[in-house]
Amino acid sequence: MLTPREIVEALDKYIIGQGEAKRAVAVALRNRYRRMKLSPEMREEITPKNIILMGPTGVGKTEIARRLAKLADAPFVKVEATKFTEVGYVGRDVDSMIRDLVETSIRLCKRSREEGVRLAAESAAQLRLVELLMPEQKKHKPPQNPFQILLNAGNKDGEEQSTADTQHETQEHRSRREALMRELTQGLHDDDTVEVEVEQSTPQSDALFAIGVDINMNDLFGGILPKQKKLRRMSVKEARRILTQEEADKLIDMDDVIREAVEKAEQDGIIFIDEIDKIIGNGATSGPDVSREGVQRDILPIVEGSTVSTKYGPVKTDHILFIAAGAFHVSKINDMIPELRGRFPINVELKALTADDFKTILTQPEHSIIEQYCALLETDNIALKFTDDALANIGARRLHTVMEILLDDISFNAGGDHPLIEVVIDKKYVDEHLKDTSGMNDLQRFII
């Protein structure tokens, strides 16, 4: 487990600035590791110190939480507070965030188990492909009537010859199958077509989802109705992927995966509640503020610690880490209902980004934006090179949207059917191609 200092250093690779926020989440993550080393009695008493990140759009609130979960290999769910409604109103209920977290945890645990059985699943899938392309010879004897049996009773040489011929054919067939196996391993048949029987999944009802009911018809009737299957023609390459997944599913004990996933969601889960400031009213006793306060009161037991019923069994929320975020331009943290406010003891204000920060974001993080665009266009024989003054001029504006406008002509005309061309992006090029954006008033909305 990483130390808080190492966690911050890892976050620095992807997120510029915001040292105070990184420090807060690093300590929260490390405290989880510390808690697990205590006695069971003490461990049960220690709850996570939930965090509120305050700051304008685009300063890194969501990215900090997402990268933190990835570092810890923890189940992570981002929810919008405005999507929830208080009980009695049409909309998703607050319990759905816990159900989503469990689903995410199951995917994580299953993916981990699949890595463990990957080689065995690939071998089994390869054998199934060989069977599809060249089925095993069926061993059968031609039917004989009693007279043929009597006539051939003394013909031992004929029987031995027939047996020898059969063995020869079997050996030859086996050799061809082994050769096919080697060819499949080398990818020589990836473009060939095979017929594979695949299961048909029943999609979730949009009507049920719209009112906040997360029910899949397969889950509801899976033990009663037989699974529907159909034959599909596909390439060997696609069939290998589907068959490998099927074989991996056979090797994985899903009951064990679900038990592990529920425990992982309870102990390691992170839920990021965005736009929490949008459900904070100004204390009015009527109008939309009443509904907003109702949402807060519905969220409270989830954050406070309760048991939520899911299709995988009850899930306790006592030790899930909640990170809330909002701009708080109009409402203030102290406008939250006191009970919910008390469940977020750590409050961090993130600073607005400067022009220098934007320039650094363009170039310094791992797989930076400039690096991404250079790699994309290099596939079409365009070698981009940015001068320092060009980066300074882009940095003074905003990121992905402006980069798309800046490189629109190059991206559209690059086709890869020409020798490698070096294109230098300097200050003059930036000024010419971004002159139409100089009149934009709300540049803040371009921050990703």
Side-chain angles (χ1 to χ4, degrees), residues 63-92:
E63 192 65 17
I64 286 174
R66 184 178 285 113
R67 293 290 179 182
L68 182 74
K70 195 170 182 179
L71 279 175
D73 192 28
F76 173 80
V77 166
K78 177 192 174 186
V79 297
E80 308 288 339
T82 51
K83 296 292 178 67
F84 299 115
T85 58
E86 86 177 284
V87 174
Y89 287 74
V90 176
R92 297 199 75 188

Side-chain angles (χ1 to χ4, degrees), residues 133-147:
L133 293 168
M134 186 181 293
E136 277 277 13
Q137 278 187 323
K138 292 183 179 180
K139 297 180 180 179
H140 65 277
K141 293 183 178 180
Q144 291 182 324
N145 58 44
F147 294 105

Side-chain angles (χ1 to χ4, degrees), residues 10 15 73 97 106 179 182 220 242 252 270 353 389 445:
I15 303 161
D73 192 28
M97 71 172 80
I106 287 174
R182 290 193 295 271
L220 191 61
I242 292 174
I252 294 172
I270 298 175
L353 299 174
D389 55 358
R445 64 193 176 93

